[in-house]
Amino acid sequence: MNTPRIAIVGAGISGICMGVALQRAGFTEFTLFEKSHDYGGTWRDNSYPGLVCDVPSRYYQFRFAMNPEWTRLYSAGPEIKEYLVGVAREHGLHRRTRFGSEVTSAEFDGTAWLVGTSDGQRERFDFVLCATGFLHHPNWPDIAGVDEFGGTVMHSARWQHEVELTGKRVGVIGTGSTGTQLVSALAGKVPEVVLFQRTPQWILPTVNRSYSPISKALYRAVPALGVVPYWFNRAAFAVFSQGLVHPGRVRRFIQWVVERNLRSVKDPELRRKLTPNYQAMCKRLVVSDRFYTAVQRPDVRLVTEGIDKIEKRGVVTSDGTLHELDILVLATGFDSHAFMRPMAITGLDGRTLDQAWAEGPRAFEGVMMPDFPNLFMLVGPHSPFANHPLTAVAEAQSARIVGWLKRWQAGEFTTVAPTRAATDRYNARMRAAAPSTVWTTGCQSWYLGKDGLPELWPWTPGAYERLIRSTPNPVDYDLRQRVDSRK
Ligand code: N01
């Protein structure tokens, strides 16, 4: 039987998941390219104080690697990274991983992909599986004078651990999940935290309880028990996701919860400043048990005037005030629409990815594109990624990709790509459904594309999983057979 040569690009959540799925299905000839020197993707890159996953740990894990050792309901970043490294090593992925090897190009020559790496090598692969993530390229804000700051300036995803925080005045720009977690962690640890807020966020309250040694021992003794909290959380997220994609009771209930939570801010003026003018969940919902407590502390200052410029001593706001700082953290998010870029990808007839995505990232069922045969994406455009665990998405997509590889191996085709007509129909359906989602109800967010419509799957994650785990409809694909010297 033929063995396909497979390149996986990226060793984060979805790359690890894909590698394990390949091994379990008996596909052993693959190379996992990772530009950095460790596993974990975003959980490797992000190591800022207070980093916690806002999806419960017993759900934010692979079904094939249930971990009995989670210490808390919501795990801290380093614990998740350790889990991912552990999964990769336990499954022997280190034997197939090429660390420090950045894929810079992939060119389809009509038969196979020529993959180029930063060290100047070029290799042929039958399949390229892009697992590059989307919260990957830090968004460095276009604020005048940012490079002139006299203290330390760093993006939250490039935390400089050697920088001493003790005794320092810290400014944080951004109030997303990252900015709110940072402020919650730094409050009380440094003399002053100044939070520069451009847009307030709704905050969903929670309690991050720790797991007792007895409960951990139980999960260790009976690993199958792990499915109980997994499916419980899955059911809870299924209800939550109804509110994301349909107006109605769930959406109203979440709105009620976040408004009630905001009432815990006692000072009316501070509460006013923290009140968003859009619906809850329009931006990705922030989940926190500590932010409102932190922001009410006397050593935390919320600044809502716009930032005019940054100068040597600190941040100057539009009212002319200079906020003097020693450290400035840019919690300003990511270029979430880059996906595999800046990799130079060239498909059939010299069509480049930049040409294909001129109007924004477009994919068929989140995993494939017309004109790019045998190229798959994990957690690609229109995957369900709002507050939903990417572990589950990656598992479902890996299964779909393995299905195609088995068909290749059975000789059904040499190359496969979705047809343009199927892709256009699919995207048109999604765009038609977008207006009923909460993401289009009047806020700016990283979910939205150039045309103001969300780049997300506009139905429930459960519906996506059913679709991607179903048998592909043959009419949607262009399958080709080619006489290949290797066959
Ligand atoms: O980034 P964001 P993030 N001047 O894009 C502000 C995941 N995540 O790193 O809202 C001033 O959400 C911007 O303001 P505005 C999660 O998927 C997960 O916080 O655009 N401000 C906003 O407040 C999340 O959604 C966890 O007006 C500027 C902030 O910066 C995603 O990562 C934890 C500005 C950016 O918010 C990204 O979150 C952390 C400027 N020029 C992150 N430019 C988990 O727990 C931007 N902003 C799983």
Side-chain angles (χ1 to χ4, degrees):
M1 210 166 336
N2 285 311
T3 304
R5 298 159 301 184
I6 304 165
I8 306 176
V9 187
I13 285 182
S14 55
I16 293 170
C17 181
M18 191 69 244
V20 174
L22 290 182
Q23 297 215 133
R24 287 157 70 105
F27 295 104
T28 49
E29 282 210 20
F30 66 88
T31 304
L32 178 46
F33 291 95
E34 170 52 56
K35 71 175 177 186
S36 182
H37 292 276
D38 206 352
Y39 294 104
T42 199
W43 296 104
R44 177 204 59 227
D45 288 350
N46 284 274
S47 59
Y48 59 81
L51 172 60
V52 169
C53 181
D54 58 14
V55 178
S57 328
R58 295 209 187 280
Y59 188 29
Y60 197 92
Q61 60 178 342
F62 298 121
R63 269 189 277 180
F64 61 81
M66 297 272 193
N67 176 17
E69 308 297 341
W70 294 118
T71 55
R72 305 186 80 87
L73 179 64
Y74 300 99
S75 297
E79 198 175 341
I80 298 170
K81 190 203 154 208
E82 196 187 321
Y83 165 76
L84 292 171
V85 172
V87 171
R89 295 210 168 263
E90 269 163 39
H91 287 83
L93 294 189
H94 51 286
R95 287 191 285 273
R96 311 198 182 284
T97 307
R98 214 177 285 169
F99 286 114
S101 190
E102 178 176 1
V103 174
T104 50
S105 64
E107 202 177 318
F108 189 69
D109 69 2
T111 309
W113 285 93
L114 268 176
V115 170
T117 47
S118 48
D119 48 14
Q121 294 191 33
R122 269 160 83 84
E123 269 174 81
R124 284 170 75 82
F125 291 94
D126 298 300
F127 290 89
V128 174
L129 316 182
C130 299
T132 48
F134 54 92
L135 297 175
H136 179 47
H137 301 289
N139 170 34
W140 194 262
D142 187 17
I143 301 175
V146 69
D147 299 324
E148 275 155 42
F149 182 57
T152 301
V153 58
M154 55 185 153
H155 191 277
S156 51
R158 297 287 181 273
W159 196 263
Q160 296 171 25
H161 290 273
E162 69 283 7
V163 173
E164 183 54 65
L165 296 173
T166 314
K168 303 285 171 60
R169 297 160 300 178
V170 183
V172 175
I173 300 181
T175 48
S177 303
T178 303
T180 49
Q181 289 186 347
L182 261 168
V183 168
S184 306
L186 294 175
K189 304 264 170 39
V190 296
E192 187 182 33
V193 179
V194 185
L195 174 59
F196 296 93
Q197 171 188 278
R198 187 163 70 179
T199 313
Q201 287 273 6
W202 289 112
I203 313 281
L204 190 72
T206 188
V207 178
N208 193 6
R209 64 185 173 82
S210 49
Y211 288 117
S212 69
I214 295 176
S215 105
K216 282 195 264 178
L218 201 63
Y219 282 104
R220 216 176 291 130
V222 191
L225 267 185
V227 300
V228 177
Y230 185 93
W231 286 97
F232 172 79
N233 277 292
R234 198 180 153 95
F237 271 72
V239 174
F240 171 81
S241 65
Q242 291 290 340
L244 294 173
V245 297
H246 304 299
R249 268 187 299 177
V250 176
R251 205 180 280 181
R252 285 197 298 278
F253 175 70
I254 289 171
Q255 186 67 41
W256 177 80
V257 173
V258 294
E259 284 178 13
R260 227 183 122 77
N261 188 32
L262 182 60
R263 282 194 234 150
S264 65
V265 176
K266 298 294 170 225
D267 174 29
E269 180 55 12
L270 182 61
R271 195 162 62 236
R272 186 189 64 74
K273 288 181 173 177
L274 289 168
T275 306
N277 64 357
Y278 56 85
Q279 285 187 42
M281 303 186 292
C282 182
K283 284 173 176 284
R284 187 183 186 279
L285 195 56
V286 173
V287 182
S288 177
D289 55 345
R290 295 159 68 193
F291 177 66
Y292 284 152
T293 309
V295 82
Q296 293 182 79
R297 290 176 59 100
D299 49 6
V300 175
R301 207 151 46 82
L302 179 73
V303 174
T304 54
E305 286 77 22
I307 297 173
D308 183 33
K309 61 177 180 180
I310 295 171
E311 56 151 76
K312 196 161 183 266
R313 287 174 300 160
V315 173
V316 180
T317 43
S318 53
D319 57 355
T321 308
L322 167 66
H323 304 270
E324 292 196 42
L325 299 165
D326 303 303
I327 296 171
L328 182 58
V329 183
L330 308 173
T332 44
F334 301 87
D335 175 5
S336 58
H337 298 240
F339 292 99
M340 302 87 89
R341 294 174 284 189
M343 259 170 78
I345 303 185
T346 311
L348 277 179
D349 303 324
R351 186 164 168 79
T352 66
L353 184 65
D354 285 339
Q355 286 167 345
W357 284 2
E359 299 303 316
R362 300 281 177 268
F364 181 65
E365 298 183 346
V367 288
M368 296 170 93
M369 289 179 288
D371 298 328
F372 295 84
N374 293 8
L375 182 135
F376 291 85
M377 291 169 285
L378 289 119
V379 199
H382 328 303
S383 295
F385 40 61
N387 289 82
H388 187 67
L390 295 186
T391 41
V393 180
E395 279 190 75
Q397 294 178 334
S398 300
R400 164 62 72 94
I401 295 168
V402 164
W404 279 116
L405 294 173
K406 285 184 175 162
R407 291 176 63 175
W408 182 93
Q409 201 166 40
E412 278 188 46
F413 65 89
T414 315
T415 65
V416 60
T419 65
R420 185 176 298 281
T423 308
D424 289 347
R425 270 197 311 275
Y426 179 77
N427 277 274
R429 270 187 62 223
M430 278 193 303
R431 305 190 105 58
S436 69
T437 68
V438 72
W439 309 307
T440 56
T441 54
C443 70
Q444 270 305 317
S445 80
W446 61 262
Y447 291 158
L448 302 180
K450 278 184 189 171
D451 54 4
L453 292 178
E455 303 283 6
L456 276 73
W457 170 256
W459 300 286
T460 62
Y464 180 76
E465 205 163 310
R466 281 192 295 282
L467 170 80
I468 207 70
R469 286 190 184 276
S470 66
T471 307
N473 186 346
V475 301
D476 293 336
Y477 295 92
D478 181 12
L479 300 185
R480 294 190 191 177
Q481 263 313 347
R482 204 165 279 117
V483 183
D484 183 313
S485 55
R486 289 191 333 120
K487 291 198 151 200

